[in-house]
């Protein structure tokens, strides 16, 4: 179970960091904002860690008790669901980080944009599969809490740090 737990922690941490990045990202890929991006990623990591505390507490309690096998089955389903998607996103980010702006734009348009759109569906479907595999109410509650926490990171980061920086629609100097 240790390897599965570590894989889930790494996947959740990367997702949280990228959610923080997305909530802070600008609209022009030609502008490098390395320092701001690093701060946004740290904020996303902090938020996902805090939001996942209830699910982690449920998991720790279940692993210590008789629900160990149910948690293992759920973790296997989550890793099998999320790892391929995460690897595809990491490959696109590698292209984004190392290529010229034209290829960064292509990586964004071909993989990162659609990946952002598909992310909630992948999270929910992976969670549903984990719930089905676990067949345990406490594990189901933990999985639902974890999926909700992961999906809440970007909106929470936006609300805490970035939404107030965006002018309201129709404000002077904005394009409608």
């Amino acid at each position: 179970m240790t390897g599965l737990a570590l894989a889930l922690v790494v996947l959740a941490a990367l997702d949280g960091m990228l959610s923080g990045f997305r909530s802070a990202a600008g609209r022009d890929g030609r502008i490098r904002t390395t320092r701001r991006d690093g701060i946004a990623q740290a904020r996303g990591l902090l938020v996902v860690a805090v939001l996942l505390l209830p699910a982690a507490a449920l998991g720790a309690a279940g692993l210590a008790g008789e629900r160990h096998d149910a948690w293992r089955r759920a973790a296997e389903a989550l890793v099998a669901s999320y790892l391929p998607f995460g690897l595809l996103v990491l490959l696109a980010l590698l292209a984004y980080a190392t290529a010229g702006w034209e290829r960064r734009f292509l990586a964004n348009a071909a993989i990162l944009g659609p990946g952002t759109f598909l992310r909630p569906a992948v999270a929910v479907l992976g969670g549903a599969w984990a719930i089905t595999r676990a067949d345990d109410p406490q594990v189901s509650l933990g999985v639902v809490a974890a999926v909700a926490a992961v999906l809440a990171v970007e909106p929470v980061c936006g609300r805490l740090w970035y939404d107030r920086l965006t002018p309201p629609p129709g404000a002077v100097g904005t394009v409608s």
Side-chain angles (χ1 to χ4, degrees):
M1 184 66 182
T2 306
L4 288 171
L6 180 61
L8 286 172
V9 167
V10 168
L11 285 168
L14 287 172
D15 188 76
M17 291 171 64
L18 294 174
S19 292
F21 169 76
R22 279 191 308 273
S23 67
R27 302 288 185 244
D28 193 336
R30 296 173 293 177
I31 299 171
R32 293 288 184 172
T33 55
T34 307
R35 184 173 183 280
R36 185 186 73 185
D37 293 347
I39 292 169
Q41 290 169 3
R43 288 173 173 168
L45 183 60
L46 173 68
V47 169
V48 79
V50 169
L51 292 177
L52 281 172
L53 283 175
L58 278 170
L63 288 174
E66 71 245 12
R67 292 184 162 91
H68 187 273
D69 287 340
W71 280 103
R72 182 188 45 76
R73 289 190 306 272
E76 287 171 349
L78 291 171
V79 169
S81 298
Y82 301 154
L83 191 60
F85 187 75
L87 290 174
L88 179 64
V89 169
L90 285 176
L91 286 173
L93 286 171
L94 181 64
Y96 186 83
T98 60
W101 76 268
E102 297 93 350
R103 288 196 175 89
R104 280 198 316 269
F105 178 80
L106 180 62
N108 191 23
I111 299 171
L112 295 176
T116 299
F117 176 74
L118 292 172
R119 180 179 162 270
V122 170
V124 169
L125 290 173
W129 186 31
I131 288 169
T132 302
R133 290 275 325 270
D135 193 30
D136 181 282
Q138 181 186 359
V139 176
S140 298
L141 181 62
V143 169
V144 168
V147 170
V150 166
L151 292 178
V153 173
E154 189 171 346
V156 168
C157 285
R159 242 181 240 267
L160 288 175
W161 293 292
Y162 306 111
D163 288 349
R164 67 183 180 277
L165 301 177
T166 305
V172 176
T174 62
V175 178
S176 300

